[in-house]
Amino acid sequence: MTNRELFSFSLAVESALVTRAPVVALESTVIAYGLPRPQNLETAHRLEQIVKDTGATPATIALIDGKLCVGLTEEQLKLIAESDCIKKISTRDLPVAIAREWNGATTVASAIWIAHRAGIQVFATGGIGGVHQGSLTDVSADLPELARTPMVVVCSGAKIVLDLPATREWLETHAVTVVGYGCDEMPAFYSRQSGLPLDARADSPQEVAELVKAQGALESQSALLVTVPVPQEAEVPSDLLQRVLQEALSEAEGERISGRELTPFLLSRMSEVSKGATLRANMALLENNARVAAEIASAL
Ligand code: PSU
Ligand code: MN
């Protein structure tokens, strides 16, 4: 294992890992940057509770004083949700964050990097990063990390602000198997439909567990991406979605927002313009994905 001194495990996560009980890793950029206050801390609590109620141990991941924390205390979770000095840490930022003892929230990329090395098999989030739209080439570090991290990653597809066909092609090229959980096309974050193909469909945690077993037997090095559609009642109608998306994208282009600021900017503008409809969808899909991930972790 990677140098243990870099890590700090909560007691609950430590004992679950020792006894090989089911654990679900959760990221923290969605808490610090993906959702507004106070819904962010409420959602973080709810996700942990849903994982527990489904019989698994939640391991929210973040950096505190430069330590790779796997499982947070209430105080640490509050710090990530409420402090103005939390950095967004992707994999490339890990050396700097450790050396300078930063507090930071982890993206999908850095959270799965940490979770895998901590011995966790299953991870849940809302939507993964991917290939961005627009004139500038911007590809989320989530994609290459998925291609080299053998974990089960439960999400609702890639975030709708992205170039979804290009993101789908990237996953295919880099041998990330994309499974639809109870669906026949790849979900599109706030929307249940994308028209994009899946590699397989699974209708139960046991079916996913069989795929994981086969991946393990192959010694595959890439993630199994389990994509779960947003619950029907929380889906954002497509005409509203297209309108708020176009508005957010053109504002970002006009204000020349780029780099790590881009995704948080787009998500928060869409929530404002849609009067909270995208925020409600985001919270609903995060909760649903945490539950599915806990069921899969229990089946493994
Ligand atoms: N899922 C959500 N909301 C989010 C994210 C995921 O529902 O805010 C975060 C994840 O942490 C993901 C990041 O890794 O957005 C992608 O950011 P970027 O495009 O800068 O790599
Ligand atoms: Mn980027």
Side-chain angles (χ1 to χ4, degrees):
M1 186 182 153
T2 319
N3 189 347
R4 295 278 301 192
E5 282 171 17
L6 295 172
F7 291 80
S8 169
F9 290 86
S10 71
L11 284 176
V13 172
E14 176 107 68
S15 81
L17 288 172
V18 168
T19 58
R20 301 182 58 92
V23 177
V24 174
L26 301 164
E27 51 127 340
S28 48
T29 290
V30 62
I31 304 168
Y33 288 97
L35 302 168
R37 297 175 199 162
Q39 288 92 338
N40 62 346
L41 184 59
E42 291 162 11
T43 303
H45 284 144
R46 263 203 310 278
L47 298 183
E48 293 204 344
Q49 194 57 48
I50 288 166
V51 171
K52 285 184 203 162
D53 291 346
T54 317
T57 300
T60 304
I61 293 179
L63 275 96
I64 306 286
D65 297 327
K67 283 270 186 219
L68 309 180
C69 291
V70 184
L72 302 182
T73 64
E74 178 54 31
E75 197 191 338
Q76 291 171 332
L77 203 58
K78 263 186 94 137
L79 179 78
I80 294 294
E82 294 175 347
S83 162
D84 292 324
C85 320
I86 301 300
K87 299 206 161 62
K88 175 177 168 183
I89 306 290
S90 191
T91 321
R92 71 177 190 281
D93 305 306
L94 286 173
V96 188
I98 290 170
R100 310 219 163 135
E101 300 181 356
W102 282 351
N103 292 328
T106 50
T107 61
V108 171
S110 57
I112 61 173
W113 193 99
I114 294 167
H116 173 59
R117 283 155 185 87
I120 300 173
Q121 261 187 304
V122 181
F123 170 86
T125 185
I128 57 165
V131 181
H132 277 275
Q133 305 188 26
S135 40
L136 205 73
T137 318
D138 180 351
V139 178
S140 173
D142 291 358
L143 291 181
E145 220 49 64
L146 286 166
R148 59 181 169 233
T149 310
M151 279 193 87
V152 181
V153 172
V154 180
C155 65
S156 297
K159 282 188 286 282
I160 190 80
V161 300
L162 300 164
D163 181 337
L164 297 184
T167 302
R168 178 69 190 94
E169 290 296 337
W170 199 104
L171 292 165
E172 180 179 321
T173 303
H174 294 85
V176 178
T177 307
V178 183
V179 181
Y181 195 79
C183 57
D184 294 308
E185 58 182 276
M186 195 171 163
F189 199 44
Y190 302 145
S191 166
R192 294 171 62 87
Q193 257 126 41
S194 68
L196 295 169
L198 295 160
D199 299 314
R201 173 182 170 134
D203 287 299
S204 67
Q206 289 71 30
E207 273 187 64
V208 176
E210 283 161 19
L211 298 173
V212 175
K213 211 173 136 197
Q215 259 208 331
L218 288 164
E219 297 181 27
S220 166
Q221 290 309 303
S222 51
L224 186 74
L225 196 67
V226 177
T227 59
V228 190
V230 58
Q232 203 125 38
E233 62 281 6
E235 184 179 27
V236 181
S238 68
D239 46 340
L240 174 65
L241 188 54
Q242 283 315 316
R243 190 166 58 75
V244 300
L245 179 59
Q246 289 318 318
E247 189 158 333
L249 287 170
S250 61
E251 275 183 42
E253 185 101 21
E255 295 181 31
R256 295 181 192 281
I257 311 259
S258 66
R260 73 178 87 236
E261 277 86 46
L262 183 58
T263 296
F265 174 87
L266 292 171
L267 295 181
S268 94
R269 279 307 289 152
M270 288 177 77
S271 166
E272 283 160 22
V273 179
S274 72
K275 301 197 173 64
T278 63
L279 175 59
R280 284 188 291 280
N282 207 343
M283 294 190 295
L285 65 88
L286 280 162
E287 291 171 18
N288 193 45
N289 295 350
R291 183 183 50 77
V292 171
E295 287 169 355
I296 293 170
S298 304
L300 285 174

